[in-house]
Amino acid sequence: MTVGIARYNAGLAAVYAEDTCETSCLHPQAVAAARVALPDETSVARATILLKLMGDANRLKILSALTRGELCVCDLAAVIRLSESATSHQLRLLRIGRGVASRKEGRTVYYRLLDQHVTTLIANVLDHARE
């Protein structure tokens, strides 16, 4: 076990060496331009929440299924092979995190992706993963 940890630590040291400057220098114009490009704190917080929500396999499957259109909780549970209760819980988190929207028709609740931004984000993430 110790040999494996030593190899892991050596590998990390090599990665860190690649990601750091050999000299300490500052490029004021580049720093200023990068700071201007930073989003406001509220946007960062909201984006972080959405990305964390997508970091769960079941929630990513739910979002992927919803790219094809609106589905009720029962159908989503069948698609991702999860109980309706667990699916409903995940959908509640996605609704709070602004990933999905819901509507109720009688006793049935239907879910859809909140907007085109979420649809595009899901497509981009999965395209990137397939490369």
Side-chain angles (χ1 to χ4, degrees):
M1 185 78 163
T2 306
V3 173
I5 291 171
R7 266 195 222 136
Y8 177 77
N9 287 336
L12 280 180
V15 168
Y16 288 138
E18 287 180 16
D19 292 338
T20 58
C21 295
E22 291 181 18
T23 62
S24 180
C25 62
L26 191 65
H27 301 92
Q29 291 89 0
V31 170
R35 282 192 176 144
V36 169
L38 286 177
D40 62 271
E41 291 300 319
T42 301
S43 297
V44 168
R46 286 181 176 172
T48 301
I49 289 168
L50 184 59
L51 290 172
K52 284 180 182 178
L53 287 171
M54 290 181 182
D56 177 85
N58 287 323
R59 290 191 292 264
L60 184 57
K61 288 177 186 178
I62 289 169
L63 292 167
S64 297
L66 292 174
T67 62
R68 299 293 182 194
E70 187 177 72
L71 290 167
C72 71
V73 177
C74 306
D75 292 342
L76 276 168
V79 169
I80 66 168
R81 295 185 173 104
L82 200 61
S83 72
E84 287 182 33
S85 175
T87 302
S88 181
H89 173 73
Q90 299 302 328
L91 286 162
R92 185 173 23 259
L93 294 173
L94 288 167
R95 189 172 34 81
I96 292 168
R98 301 182 63 230
V100 299
S102 64
R103 72 175 177 86
K104 195 165 188 175
E105 189 174 296
R107 296 178 62 190
T108 305
V109 181
Y110 292 91
Y111 286 87
R112 68 184 181 286
L113 295 177
L114 184 67
D115 57 28
Q116 190 60 39
H117 297 111
V118 177
T119 304
T120 302
L121 183 58
I122 297 299
N124 287 340
V125 166
L126 292 174
D127 286 346
H128 183 75
R130 290 180 187 118
E131 289 181 353

